[in-house]
Amino acid sequence: MEAALERTRSWGTPRALGLGLVAAASVVGGRARTELLAEAVETLAGSPARLELARAEYQLGRELLALGDARAARGHLRQAIELATRCGSHALTATARDTLVTAGGRMPQLAVAPVDSLTPSERRIATLAQRGHSNKKIAEALFITPRTVEMHLTNVYRKLGVRGRGDLPRGLGSRPRPAVRPAAP
């Protein structure tokens, strides 16, 4: 195992090293497992491998819970849920959420679709941007600063997994409207 980790360390990429540490943790127990998982989380945090980080956070949270440290476990499980949700891994999100509840934590119900995770302000600003309004016009209409508009749009792009305004129609999607029944005569 040590030789394999040394080869992984020499490779030099955070993703490869993080995955190697997770693999090494799977064959040991006790504190050594916890230390390897903690190192994997720290290493993967420096890489773009968000889903692998979510999995490592989940495993570390589960291990800490098994060792009786529910408080520390909850922090890692919440992080796993946030990352898994952003990555669209609904199975990992649900599993981590169940483990969080077992650890005594609470989480709001999961959003059904990414657009459901938008705050009312984010949704309002995204809708105006989708309709072609500039940041300046949106700021004037909502009595906020252009920087606030930028911040909200950045959050919207991240939550919806889109790169910019051009992707907003796809990201916001066409929400089904409730059927309207004609008034009785």
Side-chain angles (χ1 to χ4, degrees), residues 1 5 17-28 33 36-37 40 59:
M1 174 181 78
L5 270 178
L17 179 55
L19 292 175
L21 290 164
V22 169
S26 70
V27 297
V28 297
R33 178 176 168 78
L36 286 168
L37 289 171
Q59 289 181 18

Side-chain angles (χ1 to χ4, degrees), residues 145-159:
T145 67
R147 177 66 189 118
T148 302
V149 173
E150 291 171 15
M151 179 196 67
H152 282 301
L153 284 175
T154 299
N155 289 337
V156 168
Y157 300 156
R158 179 183 47 79
K159 288 179 179 181

Side-chain angles (χ1 to χ4, degrees), residues 20 23 29 46 56 62-63 67 89 118 151 170 175 178 180 182:
R62 192 178 66 190
E63 184 65 22
L67 293 173
S89 179
L118 298 179
M151 179 196 67
R170 178 182 58 81
R175 309 277 303 170
V180 178

Side-chain angles (χ1 to χ4, degrees), residues 2-56:
E2 284 299 318
L5 270 178
E6 281 309 311
R7 282 192 301 275
T8 305
R9 287 182 203 284
S10 69
W11 183 257
T13 65
R15 181 178 185 273
L17 179 55
L19 292 175
L21 290 164
V22 169
S26 70
V27 297
V28 297
R31 282 283 168 216
R33 178 176 168 78
T34 306
E35 289 170 7
L36 286 168
L37 289 171
E39 187 179 350
V41 164
E42 185 178 325
T43 302
L44 288 167
S47 83
R50 301 292 84 188
L51 185 55
E52 287 85 351
L53 175 57
R55 289 181 181 130

Side-chain angles (χ1 to χ4, degrees), residues 19-154:
L19 292 175
L21 290 164
V22 169
S26 70
V27 297
V28 297
R31 282 283 168 216
R33 178 176 168 78
T34 306
E35 289 170 7
L36 286 168
L37 289 171
E39 187 179 350
V41 164
E42 185 178 325
T43 302
L44 288 167
S47 83
R50 301 292 84 188
L51 185 55
E52 287 85 351
L53 175 57
R55 289 181 181 130
E57 289 275 14
Y58 168 71
Q59 289 181 18
L60 180 56
R62 192 178 66 190
E63 184 65 22
L64 289 167
L65 181 60
L67 293 173
D69 191 351
R71 183 176 183 195
R74 287 191 297 265
H76 290 285
L77 293 168
R78 283 189 181 99
Q79 188 65 25
I81 292 165
E82 181 183 331
L83 289 163
T85 300
R86 277 195 256 153
C87 291
S89 179
H90 303 295
L92 179 57
T93 301
T95 302
R97 187 175 187 279
D98 290 345
T99 307
L100 176 65
V101 171
T102 301
R106 290 188 229 151
M107 283 294 291
Q109 282 299 93
L110 302 175
V112 175
V115 72
D116 294 331
S117 68
L118 298 179
T119 66
S121 295
E122 291 168 346
R123 189 181 304 258
R124 188 171 36 251
I125 289 169
T127 301
L128 290 171
Q130 178 186 15
R131 292 179 183 161
H133 297 285
S134 69
N135 287 4
K136 184 178 178 184
K137 291 291 184 191
I138 294 170
E140 290 171 358
L142 299 178
F143 302 103
I144 57 177
T145 67
R147 177 66 189 118
T148 302
V149 173
E150 291 171 15
M151 179 196 67
H152 282 301
L153 284 175
T154 299

